[in-house]
Amino acid sequence: MIKAILLDIDGTLTNDRKEITPKTREALLAAQEQGVRLMLASGRPAGGLRCYAEELDMYRNHGVFICYNGAQVMDCATGETYFSRPMGAADVRAVLDHMKGFDVWPVLYHGDYIYTTDVFGCALGRDFVPDPYYNIIEYEARSNNYLLCEKGDLAAFADFETSKILVAGEPTYLQAHHEQMAAPFSGKLSSMFTAPFFFEFTARGIDKANAIMCAFERLGIGLRDAMAFGDAQNDTSMLELVGCGVAMGNAVEQTKAVANEVTLSNNEDGIALSLSRHIPGLERFGA
């Protein structure tokens, strides 16, 4: 019996226009009516999840936020924190210093702001995003309700803990250099792709699976009683962990390889289709 549904956001819950499609929304609302708990598991902070939680009525149904790739877990209705493990200030400075040797745009989260070295230079061309010269740092700020601020030397500025460091860049460049970027922190920090143009650092051992185990222990939910949906590299750990891990049709091959099943894409109501197959009473959403 399915008691929890874990949902990545970008490329999974939302379509390519960053919207929850009506059929997927109705299927998830119907699942909650049967007592299933929704959990949004994303690289985003809580501020970037609230609009989707409202749309899915998660506040009334005590949904859960798994933020920053698992560095923070909280009850979305009460704001109670179940788990939090930020990166220490020394690690933050070390990563930011190392990133100076690469052609990337590091992003630091603190308070109401995200900080970077150049808020105007972070534009990708048509090959990687729907609109030409799309500013991916502006997108990160606006979609997560942050203000933007520039700092000439992020490493000198960073004297505080943070849940993650986002490193943005051209996808081809990140693919060619991410191993060098991560190498000095092997065994000390976790790092992963969350989008073709985003590579992220978190505290050691942080991933979505670790956060899910913490949440499930708190809520008394068994791993076999959960479904998880994802599309990216940072979703593989949670798809492997639960009883039914579902990769979206648009998922990367690494994610599809570990999934129990592959559904339709995020633009084709793939979540609704899988729910219709696994939760009695939701069969109508498979039509």
Side-chain angles (χ1 to χ4, degrees):
M1 178 180 176
I2 301 300
K3 297 181 180 178
I5 300 170
L6 296 141
L7 300 156
D8 173 55
I9 301 297
D10 300 287
T12 301
L13 176 62
T14 61
N15 62 15
D16 289 349
R17 292 181 293 181
K18 306 302 178 184
E19 301 168 338
I20 304 175
T21 59
K23 187 174 184 179
T24 292
R25 181 190 307 110
E26 290 305 313
L28 290 168
L29 290 171
Q32 287 179 106
E33 289 175 3
Q34 296 192 24
V36 180
R37 191 182 293 255
L38 297 190
M39 301 183 180
L40 303 184
S42 174
R44 292 175 177 235
L49 302 179
R50 292 192 179 102
C51 62
Y52 301 117
E54 290 174 0
E55 195 171 351
L56 295 172
D57 200 20
M58 289 175 59
Y59 289 97
R60 186 172 64 86
N61 291 287
H62 285 278
V64 173
F65 289 165
I66 297 173
C67 313
Y68 299 116
N69 286 316
Q72 185 182 76
V73 182
M74 60 189 298
D75 184 304
C76 74
T78 65
E80 181 184 0
T81 299
Y82 296 167
F83 172 83
S84 180
R85 185 183 297 165
M87 296 171 61
D91 288 330
V92 172
R93 288 192 295 271
V95 171
L96 294 171
D97 263 328
H98 186 54
M99 291 307 106
K100 293 175 182 177
F102 299 91
D103 186 17
V104 296
W105 306 296
V107 175
L108 187 62
Y109 301 75
H110 188 58
D112 295 330
Y113 287 85
I114 60 174
Y115 296 88
T116 191
T117 52
D118 183 356
V119 301
F120 299 107
C122 316
L124 297 185
R126 188 184 297 273
D127 291 342
F128 302 118
V129 290
D131 300 316
Y133 309 113
Y134 186 81
N135 188 318
I136 54 177
I137 304 302
E138 179 183 1
Y139 165 75
E140 179 70 8
R142 300 294 177 252
S143 61
N144 292 301
N145 297 306
Y146 280 105
L147 299 172
L148 273 166
C149 185
E150 288 185 346
K151 293 291 179 181
D153 189 338
L154 284 177
F157 168 70
D159 61 352
F160 46 80
E161 298 179 334
T162 191
S163 293
K164 74 172 184 178
I165 294 174
L166 171 70
V167 181
E170 295 279 353
T172 50
Y173 183 88
L174 289 180
Q175 282 293 337
H177 294 88
H178 75 275
E179 291 182 355
Q180 295 169 269
M181 292 161 56
F185 312 104
S186 177
K188 301 176 184 178
L189 299 174
S190 293
S191 60
M192 68 203 75
F193 278 96
T194 56
F197 41 79
F198 287 156
F199 188 72
E200 304 188 1
F201 291 88
T202 57
R204 180 181 178 182
I206 291 299
D207 61 16
K208 293 185 180 182
N210 183 66
I212 290 163
M213 288 189 288
C214 171
F216 281 13
E217 182 178 357
R218 177 70 174 265
L219 300 170
I221 297 173
L223 293 173
R224 296 187 62 82
D225 297 327
M227 295 181 71
F229 293 86
D231 72 302
Q233 180 193 25
N234 64 322
D235 298 319
T236 57
S237 66
M238 74 172 181
L239 266 59
E240 291 179 297
L241 180 70
V242 300
C244 183
V246 184
M248 306 303 291
N250 52 289
V252 299
E253 290 305 316
Q254 179 181 353
T255 304
K256 290 180 178 179
V258 304
N260 298 107
E261 65 181 65
V262 178
T263 188
L264 297 177
S265 77
N266 62 321
N267 294 316
E268 302 171 297
D269 293 304
I271 291 173
L273 176 62
S274 281
L275 293 181
S276 75
R277 295 170 174 170
H278 292 277
I279 300 181
L282 302 190
E283 292 85 359
R284 65 189 185 277
F285 294 105

